Amino acid sequence: FPQARKQLQSYKSLQSRIVKILGLVNACNEQDIDIDYVWSRVWPHLGGYLLANTLYTQWYLMDEVGLSIQHSNQPNMKCYPLVVKLDDQPPFVLSIAWPIVDIAAGDIISRNYLPNNLDDSLRQLYSLGYLYPNDLTNQISNGLIENLMLKENLISNSNDIDSYSYDNLSIESPDWNNSNVTKLKVYCDRSDHLNSNHLIASQTIELTSDDTTADVLYLINYSTNYNLTNKLTNQFIWNDLIITKDQLISTVINGYNYLYHTHPNWFPKSFDVSISSDMTSFIEYFLNDTTNLFICKKFNSKQGLDYPITNNLSCIIKYIELGYNVISKYVLYPCLLQQRKFDLRFYVIIKSLDPLIIYRHTQFVIRWANHHYTTSDYEDYQTHFTVMNFLNNQVDDNADNSLSDIRGNGRR
């Protein structure tokens, strides 16, 4: 949505039109329109869609006629977007509206602004946060949130794990020390994830398309269909508990609470809002938080693409409707490297869990932002995300020195 804001900033005529459409004339000086204020009020009226093979959500705003159709829980109209793509032209959106009951002359037409798959309690929360965010504080004082939490069965969680005995596993690790193998055969279910040119030149590795004869299974898509006996693999049972965002939240928070009866202070406050109780808890936390700055994510997405950082509850709810189920408090004061956000990716192999034995590769990847960190613009992807530059470093015995030698010339 940063592009949408820039579009609004660039066209004075668009600013005046939106101010009039949304009825903000009395709150705005037409000669000097407050873009931040208008943008915060636009969110409840925006529609969004994501086309196949595209990276970012496309947002659209209906015209004066479309926006004049009011919200109702008993609507007499339905209205849905139709994305039209003609030959090589950019796609555009038409809104298709039709009556669902008989409408007499003089009746006020209405539609339901909220998703169809909400239960009654969540519908109240959505309607408040989505349509009437300024009224939420009053509703909290009147006990709405507490009543909703009592109506929800907070103990129920579809992600609970059934007990499982590791004694049932019959996987044996290969004894490479006593092996006569000269080259390790590596199988990968996604060949685009391997640097084949580098591996072809290797004296110790060869690629194979046969998983049954492979020594190493490098799996991108987890599956239980592979025979793991006498093989090394990068996947392990229940690894989703730490490699998917929603499961990681549950693992960390529930595990830490079980051990220490508190929330870990090193882990940002996070919610899996696909769970009704977490959605309720998030809105309650949002209203009582002092900074109100959150980042929205999909549980299985990557590279920080289309992750909004915002303090606008209507914006957050819009993204939740599009499938963003992980909401986390944004870390305002991160560790910086040369005034930029960064992260380190290490490649490790776990040989044993008990005792814990881990091997780390001598190469690692540094990923860092293109722009110096600042809190003045949370919509600048080049400032707040690090997945664009990659720089391989030979660590050897000088890992600390290798960090200070970075000049930001990593490849995009």
Side-chain angles (χ1 to χ4, degrees):
F1 64 82
Q3 293 79 6
R5 176 196 284 270
K6 291 177 182 177
Q7 187 179 32
L8 181 61
Q9 290 174 324
S10 302
Y11 298 99
K12 276 286 186 181
S13 59
L14 180 62
Q15 297 172 19
S16 300
R17 186 180 176 189
I18 290 179
V19 166
K20 293 176 181 177
I21 290 176
L22 300 183
L24 305 177
V25 176
N26 294 333
C28 291
N29 180 353
E30 192 168 347
Q31 302 302 319
D32 186 20
I33 293 176
D34 185 343
I35 298 297
D36 289 336
Y37 175 76
V38 174
W39 186 236
S40 68
R41 296 289 176 161
V42 164
W43 275 106
H45 307 280
L46 289 177
Y49 62 90
L50 184 64
L51 295 176
N53 301 320
T54 59
L55 300 177
Y56 293 94
T57 303
Q58 305 296 314
W59 297 101
Y60 65 92
L61 185 67
M62 290 196 291
D63 61 13
E64 287 84 347
V65 175
L67 289 177
S68 67
I69 304 176
Q70 299 298 306
H71 166 74
S72 173
N73 287 324
Q74 284 87 38
N76 52 23
M77 299 279 292
K78 280 194 175 184
C79 185
Y80 282 94
L82 176 66
V83 181
V84 180
K85 181 74 169 66
L86 300 176
D87 298 328
D88 296 329
Q89 300 299 314
F92 60 93
V93 179
L94 298 175
S95 293
I96 309 297
W98 65 95
I100 55 176
V101 297
D102 292 337
I103 302 176
D107 287 352
I108 297 176
I109 61 174
S110 61
R111 64 187 182 93
N112 194 341
Y113 277 40
L114 305 178
N116 294 323
N117 57 344
L118 298 177
D119 57 33
D120 291 339
S121 56
L122 277 182
R123 181 168 290 276
Q124 294 180 62
L125 281 176
Y126 267 67
S127 61
L128 286 169
Y130 180 33
L131 301 170
Y132 316 106
N134 295 332
D135 294 337
L136 265 173
T137 303
N138 296 330
Q139 295 292 340
I140 287 293
S141 62
N142 293 333
L144 171 66
I145 295 293
E146 289 81 355
N147 291 334
L148 290 176
M149 292 180 71
L150 289 175
K151 290 175 65 175
E152 299 290 337
N153 184 2
L154 300 187
I155 305 301
S156 64
N157 188 332
S158 60
N159 294 324
D160 287 343
I161 304 168
D162 295 331
S163 59
Y164 189 90
S165 174
Y166 277 99
D167 295 336
N168 295 332
L169 295 177
S170 59
I171 300 176
E172 299 179 1
S173 298
D175 185 2
W176 298 111
N177 294 326
N178 297 322
S179 174
N180 295 321
V181 175
T182 57
K183 274 192 172 186
L184 288 179
K185 293 182 178 180
V186 177
Y187 169 83
C188 181
D189 56 346
R190 289 276 302 276
S191 59
D192 55 307
H193 280 253
L194 294 178
N195 186 338
S196 56
N197 292 331
H198 171 72
L199 294 175
I200 289 174
S202 172
Q203 299 298 313
T204 57
I205 294 175
E206 68 174 273
L207 300 181
T208 178
S209 58
D210 184 1
D211 63 276
T212 61
T213 62
D215 303 306
V216 178
L217 300 181
Y218 188 80
L219 306 177
I220 306 303
N221 302 312
Y222 180 74
S223 173
T224 58
N225 296 329
Y226 297 100
N227 182 0
L228 302 182
T229 303
N230 286 325
K231 299 183 188 300
L232 295 176
T233 179
N234 63 323
Q235 302 277 9
F236 54 91
I237 192 169
W238 296 335
N239 61 358
D240 281 356
L241 292 176
I242 61 173
I243 67 173
T244 60
K245 298 176 182 65
D246 53 345
Q247 296 279 20
L248 178 63
I249 292 173
S250 179
T251 300
V252 171
I253 294 179
N254 292 339
Y256 206 85
N257 185 60
Y258 176 80
L259 293 173
Y260 305 107
H261 309 291
T262 185
H263 186 282
N265 57 10
W266 47 267
F267 192 78
K269 189 70 175 178
S270 301
F271 305 87
D272 177 3
V273 293
S274 65
I275 303 171
S276 297
S277 58
D278 263 28
M279 180 66 183
T280 304
S281 299
F282 161 67
I283 292 184
E284 183 182 40
Y285 183 84
F286 182 96
L287 295 168
N288 292 294
D289 186 49
T290 55
T291 57
N292 275 346
L293 196 63
F294 294 86
I295 183 170
C296 309
K297 308 174 183 179
K298 290 183 178 179
F299 78 96
N300 61 347
S301 57
K302 58 184 179 180
Q303 298 179 346
L305 297 173
D306 207 16
Y307 285 2
I309 303 169
T310 181
N311 61 356
N312 188 302
L313 185 57
S314 297
C315 170
I316 293 173
I317 290 179
K318 276 292 185 180
Y319 272 92
I320 291 174
E321 289 179 18
L322 294 175
Y324 287 69
N325 65 318
V326 173
I327 311 295
S328 296
K329 188 75 180 292
Y330 188 63
V331 178
L332 283 172
Y333 305 105
C335 179
L336 301 179
L337 173 65
Q338 297 182 7
Q339 302 179 53
R340 304 182 189 190
K341 290 184 69 173
F342 73 99
D343 67 76
L344 305 177
R345 170 171 287 188
F346 290 95
Y347 298 92
V348 301
I349 290 179
I350 301 175
K351 181 181 180 181
S352 170
L353 293 175
D354 187 17
L356 182 61
I357 301 175
I358 298 177
Y359 291 88
R360 178 178 64 83
H361 200 283
T362 55
Q363 289 187 336
F364 64 94
V365 175
I366 299 173
R367 309 187 299 185
W368 65 336
N370 285 337
H371 296 169
H372 288 174
Y373 182 74
T374 175
T375 57
S376 61
D377 184 3
Y378 293 107
E379 296 179 9
D380 183 11
Y381 181 84
Q382 308 290 332
T383 297
H384 294 279
F385 294 93
T386 59
V387 189
M388 70 266 303
N389 293 335
F390 297 86
L391 184 63
N392 289 329
N393 286 269
Q394 291 289 347
V395 180
D396 297 330
D397 297 325
N398 300 307
D400 292 337
N401 292 335
S402 68
L403 289 177
S404 63
D405 290 337
I406 300 174
R407 294 291 180 265
N409 57 348
R411 65 182 184 272
R412 183 179 292 269

